[in-house]
Amino acid sequence: MTATVVEPMGNQNVVHLAFPGETEGTEDLVATTDGRQRIESGATVTAHVPVEAIHVFDAESGDALYTRDMAFAEQEPML
């Protein structure tokens, strides 16, 4: 993945990422990282995303398709 935009916000960075082969101007993933990590725009990065941290939205309506709350609701109850 390529970091297309990096927004340093103090304690975290907001990083916009594109998958290989995507055309410029398309955005595949927006992630936050610890603000102590230095990531440069244009850098190739590897992302490890825990399922409970994923939020997916419909591009047209903005409706949530998958969120952390949905992930926890899918888990089996602990006895």
Side-chain angles (χ1 to χ4, degrees), residues 14-70:
V14 177
V15 184
H16 299 251
L17 301 164
F19 288 102
E22 292 296 316
T23 58
E24 190 168 326
T26 62
E27 190 174 281
D28 294 305
L29 181 66
V30 178
T32 56
T33 65
D34 187 299
R36 295 173 288 186
Q37 291 182 316
R38 294 183 55 94
I39 301 171
E40 300 287 331
S41 183
T44 299
V45 298
T46 301
H48 300 275
V49 184
V51 70
E52 65 272 7
I54 296 173
H55 300 262
V56 180
F57 299 91
D58 182 277
E60 291 182 22
S61 70
D63 291 342
L65 301 176
Y66 186 86
T67 67
R68 178 182 331 204
D69 294 335
M70 292 174 186

Side-chain angles (χ1 to χ4, degrees), residues 71-79:
F72 288 125
E74 291 174 358
Q75 293 179 357
E76 302 258 342
M78 302 277 293
L79 300 177

